Amino acid sequence: MKFSLLALSTAAALGGTDAFLAPQQPRLSSSALAGYGIGSWNKKSSPSSAGGGGAAVATRNPWDDANKANTVSKSDTFIKAPTTKKSYGLGSWNKSASPGGATSAVANAPPPPAAATGGCPFHANYDAIRDELKLIMDNPSWDDGSLAPIFLRLAWHSSGTYDAATGTGGSNGAGMRFQNEAADPENAGLAPARAFLEPVKRKFPEISYSDLWILAAYVGLEVTGGPVIDFQPGRVDHPDESYWEQMSYGRLPAAEKYCCPHLDDSNVSSSLDETGKVKGWEGLCTHVRNEVFYRMGFNDQEIVALLCGGHVYGRCHPNASGYAGPWVENMTEFSNEYATDMIEDEWTLVSHGDTWLDAQGSAELRPAPGNRQFVNQKKGVTGDDPNQMMLLSDMILAWDPDFRPILEMYAEDEDKLKVDFGAAFKRLTELGCGFP
């Protein structure tokens, strides 16, 4: 939605179209997904009511499976060494590892020949791989009809671990195939993205997982009207988990870090200061700016470009990240809607206890217990506005005096955002790869 420019109200309230759809577009079948221990996915199994149509009823909620990478038990079979047999790094997921308690099929298909070596980038046919990725990108049974948002998040999270001071982390290695990195709470819900790419990896074993995850995001951006990014191959997969000795959790951004603790579910507005900002937001801003993005070597403009371009895609799921709903109305196509809506819309802070959202048709915006977020709805006020949300870590772009002018620039100039986001995302996905 793009309204006339309004002043951001901060007193008590601060806070799809399908792109490039093709008929009879192939998607992963129920039997193929069952081979990865994921099951059949459709409109009824999706947290969203959008993007479905015509699929068979799912055997279980796919987001239960998505969370299994974050609730691993000793019975899970992740890649532990180059000699590990019949393992994709997705795990043999069973009842003990499932939050939903469902018994999952074991991923027992033969591993791709290049799984241990990381592929051979000099022999990969990247045009053919791009075409294959385009074939699976439209998936009416998944969330809002496109795999582009979850591929974008997979690439972002595999890259966002980079630390410039030590040279560790980054997209090189595809460490999320292994137990420790997959179990990072910020990576919850990404197992399906990796599973959707397994057939492509099997068909083209010469490409490394590291390259495939990044290329899938690039293709997703391209087919949804985003920037066309020149792909640089050559990432090499970690052969085992020994790389983790130099790594740690906490490198990816947390949505509420250092903010005033959320204590009273019945009075979430007590978290706000007299200007309508969440108490302690300055600490959260320091976390996002210094502990995450400055650590990787980004500047303020690149930070705002990455968030404005990345969060225009997809939605949050309460049983994955703990937050709920989409950032924008059209979450499967590139735009500057995230920036314009953050400035122009009126945002209300809510928590899991705000059941009035359910009564007003906005149940999809109610976060998991213990979490807070901003929504574009007001208690007792109904209208035609689509359900949208902003994380606390999003709102700092409107609150911080240095971020705010950059946010306003992108709200006014979508073309500039497209160029700047493309450049910043390419840089993010190449950190630590040693490319010239």
Side-chain angles (χ1 to χ4, degrees), residues 66-102:
N67 280 326
K68 288 171 189 173
N70 298 85
T71 53
V72 292
S73 68
K74 290 183 179 179
S75 60
D76 288 321
T77 308
F78 286 81
I79 295 178
K80 298 182 185 299
T83 56
T84 300
K85 296 180 180 179
K86 296 184 179 181
S87 175
Y88 291 86
L90 294 175
S92 298
W93 298 334
N94 55 30
K95 187 173 182 180
S96 65
S98 170

